[in-house]
Amino acid sequence: MKLLEDKILTCGTVLPGNILKVDSFLNHQLDVKFINELGKEIYNSFSSDDITKILTVEASGIALACAAAAYFDVPVVFAKKGHHSNVGSDVYSAEVFSYTKGKQYSVTVSKKFLSPDDNILIIDDFLATGEACFGLRKIVSDAGASLAGVAAAIEKKFQNGGNTLRADGIKVRSLAVIESMTDDSICFGDDGSKK
Amino acid sequence: MKLLEDKILTCGTVLPGNILKVDSFLNHQLDVKFINELGKEIYNSFSSDDITKILTVEASGIALACAAAAYFDVPVVFAKKGHHSNVGSDVYSAEVFSYTKGKQYSVTVSKKFLSPDDNILIIDDFLATGEACFGLRKIVSDAGASLAGVAAAIEKKFQNGGNTLRADGIKVRSLAVIESMTDDSICFGDDGSKK
């Protein structure tokens, strides 16, 4: 999606450790109008898939998930990170390792919000190693729900999470795909959705 | 706002410890269309206040903040909780005590996203003891920005956070105000904004 690639080139910064900082519009400060365009593009990619619910993980995925959900006209459920005393005990959970933070955390969803009738679209801001997504995928599976696909704003393809999902036959739509990046260049690829 | 009061009566649950669970539509599962109506109502209350930016705190405030921001056509900034290795060191921060979780945490905003030219509207899902809001207020003050007001979906008035803000002369708009609640009844009041 050229709109997003241009925004990354204009506003993004590459930091050591393969970190792409896009906090001026995507995950700290939020350019709501811009994120709405990303949500619309995700809708265009999954509009024929009978999505019943969007699943994301707090906090950076919420804005994009809500933008897309408005087009699908379905609810968003966001998985909570860590221990939450008022989530209750009747939950699905999964362990996720964060390479950015160098530690493991759990993600949790109340059982009442997922059912075997659901056809779930997972949305997140980034798809990198795929750890968060694999955790959400386990939760979808534990709930007996169907996984319609995974959508991300930015995929760091060289970190292989998206490749693993595709190899498993999962439909993946990444609005900007980064093949490689260095301090002064970002090389974009594609997510294969046009083939 | 009757729409929200009705939704609370239909879908909310009161738990021990003065917890009102509204996780089926506001802060775990998100009814995006409904939250959009709340955002519009917040816009109606602050449309003449020259808001330049909306400030909230992850994760539960993000959906409502984004819904309102679309009407104001301004960015959202969400404060991050705890230590974040990739927020950077050039930040405003404040300490917040969470009564729900029984512990203190820090909230952090990159300095580059707040300036003395900003006129900030703070938005959150709940206004109870006001701790989170006081933390955000300190950050706004540290940035030299103006605070236009505070908007919340649900105020638990008996926990006095809103009263403290009003006593300090801050404009507060709470879309549903709970004067008191027990296991089987919720008594609504008003936020004084119509007087």
Side-chain angles (χ1 to χ4, degrees):
Chain A
M1 189 187 185
K2 188 164 184 315
L3 184 75
L4 178 56
E5 291 178 2
D6 289 347
K7 189 92 166 181
I8 292 168
L9 291 173
T10 313
C11 305
T13 316
V14 179
L15 297 183
N18 281 323
I19 292 172
L20 174 64
K21 231 171 141 80
V22 286
D23 60 352
S24 65
F25 63 95
L26 191 62
N27 51 23
H28 185 11
Q29 181 167 257
L30 306 171
D31 182 335
V32 174
K33 201 178 272 187
F34 180 81
I35 291 172
N36 184 55
E37 291 302 312
L38 306 186
K40 193 195 293 180
E41 182 72 13
I42 290 174
Y43 173 73
N44 290 338
S45 299
F46 289 92
S47 58
S48 318
D49 290 271
D50 298 321
I51 306 300
T52 63
K53 204 161 273 189
I54 290 170
L55 181 63
T56 187
V57 61
E58 66 177 8
S60 304
I62 295 175
L64 181 59
C66 286
Y71 289 97
F72 286 102
D73 197 13
V74 301
V76 169
V77 175
F78 67 86
K80 306 209 172 191
K81 286 180 183 169
H83 176 70
H84 282 261
S85 57
N86 61 354
V87 173
S89 56
D90 211 18
V91 298
Y92 299 111
S93 66
E95 294 301 307
V96 172
F97 186 80
S98 165
Y99 287 89
T100 317
K101 296 184 187 169
K103 64 176 183 182
Q104 186 153 311
Y105 59 94
S106 56
V107 291
T108 301
V109 174
S110 281
K111 286 190 177 176
K112 62 185 170 185
F113 299 133
L114 296 175
S115 89
D117 295 332
D118 277 320
N119 192 34
I120 308 281
L121 174 60
I122 292 174
I123 293 183
D124 210 351
D125 58 338
F126 272 94
L127 174 57
T129 62
E131 287 291 321
C133 186
F134 300 156
L136 296 181
R137 181 186 176 187
K138 176 190 176 292
I139 286 173
V140 170
S141 169
D142 288 351
S146 305
L147 179 61
V150 171
I154 303 171
E155 178 178 348
K156 295 196 282 189
K157 206 168 184 178
F158 55 92
Q159 292 185 313
N160 281 319
N163 297 335
T164 302
L165 293 169
R166 288 183 193 93
D168 288 349
I170 293 171
K171 178 175 174 180
V172 178
R173 179 75 177 98
S174 303
L175 304 183
V177 176
I178 297 175
E179 296 281 356
S180 63
M181 60 187 199
T182 62
D183 286 1
D184 52 10
S185 76
I186 296 175
C187 175
F188 292 107
D190 74 79
D191 64 356
S193 65
K194 298 283 160 57
K195 287 167 192 165
Chain B
M1 188 185 185
K2 187 162 187 314
L3 184 76
L4 178 54
E5 291 177 1
D6 288 348
K7 190 93 164 179
I8 292 168
L9 291 174
T10 313
C11 305
T13 315
V14 179
L15 297 183
N18 281 324
I19 292 172
L20 174 64
K21 230 173 142 82
V22 286
D23 60 352
S24 65
F25 64 95
L26 190 63
N27 51 23
H28 185 12
Q29 181 166 257
L30 306 172
D31 182 336
V32 174
K33 200 177 274 186
F34 180 81
I35 290 172
N36 184 55
E37 291 302 312
L38 306 186
K40 192 195 296 180
E41 182 72 15
I42 290 173
Y43 173 72
N44 290 338
S45 299
F46 289 91
S47 58
S48 318
D49 291 87
D50 299 321
I51 306 299
T52 64
K53 206 161 269 190
I54 289 171
L55 181 63
T56 187
V57 61
E58 65 177 11
S60 305
I62 294 174
L64 181 59
C66 287
Y71 289 96
F72 287 102
D73 196 14
V74 300
V76 169
V77 175
F78 67 87
K80 305 208 173 192
K81 288 180 183 170
H83 175 71
H84 282 260
S85 57
N86 62 353
V87 173
S89 57
D90 211 17
V91 297
Y92 299 112
S93 66
E95 294 299 308
V96 172
F97 185 79
S98 164
Y99 286 90
T100 317
K101 295 182 187 170
K103 63 175 183 184
Q104 186 154 311
Y105 59 94
S106 57
V107 290
T108 301
V109 175
S110 279
K111 285 189 178 175
K112 60 185 170 186
F113 299 133
L114 295 175
S115 89
D117 295 333
D118 277 320
N119 192 33
I120 308 281
L121 174 61
I122 292 174
I123 292 184
D124 210 351
D125 59 336
F126 271 94
L127 174 57
T129 61
E131 287 291 322
C133 187
F134 300 156
L136 296 181
R137 182 186 176 187
K138 174 189 177 294
I139 285 173
V140 170
S141 169
D142 287 352
S146 305
L147 179 61
V150 171
I154 302 172
E155 178 179 348
K156 296 195 281 189
K157 206 168 184 178
F158 55 91
Q159 291 185 313
N160 281 319
N163 297 335
T164 302
L165 294 168
R166 288 182 193 94
D168 287 348
I170 294 171
K171 178 175 173 178
V172 179
R173 178 75 177 98
S174 303
L175 304 183
V177 177
I178 298 175
E179 296 281 355
S180 63
M181 59 187 198
T182 62
D183 286 0
D184 52 10
S185 76
I186 296 175
C187 175
F188 292 107
D190 73 81
D191 65 355
S193 66
K194 298 283 161 57
K195 284 168 195 165

